[in-house]
């Protein structure tokens, strides 16, 4: 994507924007180092945020199902007869610590699985990455026109 920014021909991307009427530069100005870092950070932060939201939603489902399905006797066996209250970041909750630990393990496993799966999944790339790349490309084409 960073290499295609310098190529002219992004007129279709900017239709309906204030940049559509601006003239296109014959040879666009190359991206500065800070702009390249910004593009990479936007891509990375967006993907990490997306994966974290999926993992947290999955963990909340596991946590809720654990509250509904697991009996207090089973949770007492898991914890070895430990306290029935758990703590997260110093906050005491009326939930067994063993359930909190299992939920955190399942959340971490979900994050790792979804992260690994997203690397090679064509459907993920088509539905999430391609629109993100198109939006960033449109932004950079508008940048080239703005700097004329």
């Amino acid at each position: 994507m960073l290499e295609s920014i310098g190529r002219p021909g992004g007129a279709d991307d900017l239709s309906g924007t204030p940049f559509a009427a601006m003239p296109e530069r014959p040879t666009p100005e190359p991206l500065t180092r800070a702009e390249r870092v910004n593009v990479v950070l936007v891509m990375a932060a967006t993907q990490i945020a997306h994966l974290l939201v999926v993992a947290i939603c999955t963990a909340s489902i596991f946590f809720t199902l654990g509250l509904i399905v697991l009996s207090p006797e089973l949770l007492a066996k898991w914890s070895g007869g430990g306290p029935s209250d758990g703590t997260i970041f110093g906050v005491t909750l009326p939930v067994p610590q063993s359930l909190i630990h299992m939920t955190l393990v399942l959340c971490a496993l979900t994050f790792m699985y979804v992260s690994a799966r997203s690397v090679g999944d064509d459907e993920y790339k088509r539905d999430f990455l391609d629109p993100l790349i198109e939006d960033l490309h449109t932004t950079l084409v508008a940048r080239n026109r703005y700097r004329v």
Side-chain angles (χ1 to χ4, degrees):
M1 182 183 81
L2 292 174
E3 297 301 322
S4 69
I5 300 310
R7 296 185 203 137
D12 296 337
D13 296 335
L14 299 174
S15 59
T17 67
F19 299 104
M22 290 182 176
E24 193 167 342
R25 204 179 251 206
T27 56
E29 189 177 312
L31 295 176
T32 64
R33 181 181 205 122
E35 289 171 332
R36 286 180 178 269
V37 168
N38 188 24
V39 169
V40 170
L41 284 177
V42 166
M43 289 288 292
T46 305
Q47 289 181 37
I48 290 171
H50 182 258
L51 296 174
L52 276 174
V53 167
V54 169
I56 290 171
C57 288
T58 304
S60 65
I61 290 171
F62 286 138
F63 183 75
T64 305
L65 288 176
L67 287 175
I68 295 170
V69 174
L70 297 175
S71 66
E73 295 81 24
L74 178 62
L75 289 171
K77 284 184 182 179
W78 274 5
S79 63
S84 61
D85 292 338
T87 58
I88 296 179
F89 303 119
V91 177
T92 303
L93 301 172
V95 177
Q97 189 70 36
S98 56
L99 179 60
I100 294 171
H101 285 180
M102 283 305 294
T103 302
L104 291 175
V105 166
L106 290 173
C107 180
L109 290 174
T110 301
F111 181 76
M112 289 187 300
Y113 172 75
V114 173
S115 299
R117 178 73 186 202
S118 68
V119 170
D121 191 10
D122 291 334
E123 186 177 340
Y124 174 80
K125 289 177 184 175
R126 184 186 69 238
D127 292 342
F128 184 71
L129 288 182
D130 289 344
L132 177 62
I133 290 171
E134 287 174 17
D135 287 345
L136 281 172
H137 189 271
T138 302
T139 302
L140 293 173
V141 169
R143 168 213 172 255
N144 287 339
R145 288 197 180 182
Y146 179 75
R147 290 197 165 184
V148 167

